[in-house]
Amino acid sequence: MATLALVTGATGLLGRQLVKAFDKAGWKVVGTGFSRANPPSILKVDLEDEAAIDSVLDEAKSDLVHLVENDLGAANRFPDKCDADPDGTRALNIGATRRLAQAASRRSIFLIYISTDYVFSGRPGEAPYEADGTPHPSNLYGQTKLAGEKAVLEEYGSTGLGVVLRVPVLYGSAEKPKESAVNVLMDAVWQAQEQGTKIHMDDWALRYPTNTEDVARVCVDIGSKYLAADAARVALPRVLQFSSEDRFTKFEMCQLFAEIMGLPLEGMLGDKQGSDPNTSAQRPYDTHLSTRALRDLGINVWTQNFKDWWHVPVPLLSESNN
């Protein structure tokens, strides 16, 4: 019988690729969503509803649960929006995570929790960060994702069935550019074409944009390895990290998009001032993640080249302002 994966947030940027990757690997896949759910292909599940979580886990009888960003709202993924709705952010990133971890652990279901590089401070000179490094988030988003990590690890104890996977900013095939903090920069490039416009774009913080297809591939490999380990699973690491080595500032990404689209960029200025100390949503300078723990497990950490990937879906770029 095929191994079954339950993917929460299956309608989102990463969730869609997870469904495809597990299906391609021969797993049976059940996806859940909320605002964009489309039963029966994507079940509608409110991760803030404990009874709904119990119901879908019992019905699916899955071997693995993959907890990604659910689609109850964007507030749980973007630092600025997190600060605008702190209670909602905590409810999703901490409360919903713990409820799912509790329910899954009671059923001895393996869970992969997707976390972020923003659990680290990103102060100059500290990166790259190892998976066993000491987190010190500088904003509410990172704080709540770290609390979500702790919730998963606490609920699973020493069973080895709960694993955290930290990833950096993601990009990939999107229904709308705003699904990704990278893809959405295409809109900024188009806005810079308007006469008299002067957009200030961050040219200070270092980003390591990683493709969702690569993250999904790694998640399949993690699930396969940990489920096959049986009793030896308890000796495997509980926190893993995956990242591309491609490094850009936001302004450099915009320059690349403008080059590909054949557009000028005089309407955009690179801002090297760094994070404004007066803002609550502090931006780390460099939160580069080490992939050593994955490599030690024998898991392939290859990633697609950022520049090459964007040269293929040019229509996506040219239509981003529609």
Side-chain angles (χ1 to χ4, degrees):
M1 183 172 67
T3 308
L4 192 148
L6 177 68
V7 178
T8 68
T11 58
L13 183 77
L14 176 57
R16 292 192 299 270
Q17 294 303 324
L18 286 166
V19 171
K20 291 179 182 178
F22 278 105
D23 181 67
K24 183 178 179 180
W27 294 54
K28 181 180 177 182
V29 186
V30 174
T32 75
F34 188 72
S35 62
R36 292 182 288 176
N38 184 28
S41 58
I42 302 294
L43 303 179
K44 186 171 184 176
V45 177
D46 182 351
L47 294 184
E48 294 187 280
D49 184 338
E50 185 174 351
I53 293 173
D54 287 334
S55 177
V56 74
L57 290 179
D58 288 337
E59 183 177 344
K61 295 181 172 59
S62 61
D63 301 280
L64 178 150
V65 170
H66 216 300
L67 177 59
V68 299
E69 306 288 9
N70 67 68
D71 67 347
L72 288 170
N76 62 335
R77 291 189 291 119
F78 297 95
D80 294 334
K81 292 183 179 179
C82 284
D83 280 7
D85 183 16
D87 291 339
T89 296
R90 293 186 182 95
L92 293 174
N93 288 349
I94 305 173
T97 297
R98 185 175 290 279
R99 275 188 290 275
L100 183 59
Q102 287 174 337
S105 63
R106 286 198 302 266
R107 295 164 174 80
S108 297
I109 297 173
F110 181 67
L111 183 147
I112 301 176
Y113 171 65
I114 301 297
S115 189
T116 173
D117 56 340
Y118 270 27
V119 300
F120 293 110
S121 68
R123 288 188 288 262
E126 291 185 351
Y129 294 96
E130 298 293 340
D132 59 358
T134 301
H136 194 276
S138 60
N139 54 46
L140 180 62
Y141 173 68
Q143 292 163 8
T144 58
K145 292 298 286 185
L146 178 60
E149 290 186 10
K150 293 178 178 178
V152 170
L153 299 180
E154 287 171 1
E155 294 301 329
Y156 275 90
S158 60
T159 64
L161 285 169
V163 171
V164 170
L165 178 64
R166 296 175 183 144
V167 297
V169 64
L170 303 181
Y171 73 96
S173 298
E175 293 180 352
K176 296 181 179 180
K178 67 180 181 180
E179 286 189 317
S180 161
V182 175
N183 294 48
V184 77
L185 295 177
M186 294 183 290
D187 287 343
V189 172
W190 282 108
Q191 290 167 12
Q193 306 309 306
E194 298 176 8
Q195 188 173 5
T197 297
K198 288 295 179 183
I199 296 174
H200 291 262
M201 184 61 64
D202 179 49
D203 196 22
W204 173 76
L206 303 178
R207 313 297 176 98
Y208 299 83
T210 301
N211 195 282
T212 52
E213 294 176 24
D214 296 328
V215 177
R217 183 200 75 236
V218 167
C219 288
V220 173
D221 291 345
I222 292 171
S224 299
K225 188 170 191 69
Y226 276 68
L227 288 178
D230 294 326
R233 187 186 305 117
V234 296
L236 298 180
R238 301 170 69 195
V239 178
L240 302 169
Q241 298 179 160
F242 179 60
S243 172
S244 169
E245 297 300 313
D246 293 332
R247 186 178 72 184
F248 297 86
T249 65
K250 280 188 173 182
F251 182 62
E252 289 170 340
M253 285 187 264
C254 288
Q255 288 179 312
L256 173 64
F257 293 155
E259 176 188 343
I260 294 173
M261 292 185 282
L263 297 173
L265 205 57
E266 287 82 1
M268 183 178 291
L269 302 175
D271 185 352
K272 294 185 178 292
Q273 294 302 308
S275 189
D276 183 351
N278 296 316
T279 63
S280 56
Q282 291 295 301
R283 299 282 179 169
Y285 168 67
D286 183 0
T287 53
H288 189 205
L289 299 172
S290 166
T291 59
R292 185 192 306 273
L294 280 174
R295 287 182 276 117
D296 288 347
L297 290 172
I299 292 177
N300 186 353
V301 295
W302 175 88
T303 61
Q304 300 179 63
N305 180 276
F306 183 75
K307 291 183 179 180
D308 291 346
W309 191 87
W310 288 104
H311 275 83
V312 177
V314 175
L316 179 63
L317 287 163
S318 61
E319 297 171 4
S320 65
N321 63 331
N322 292 340

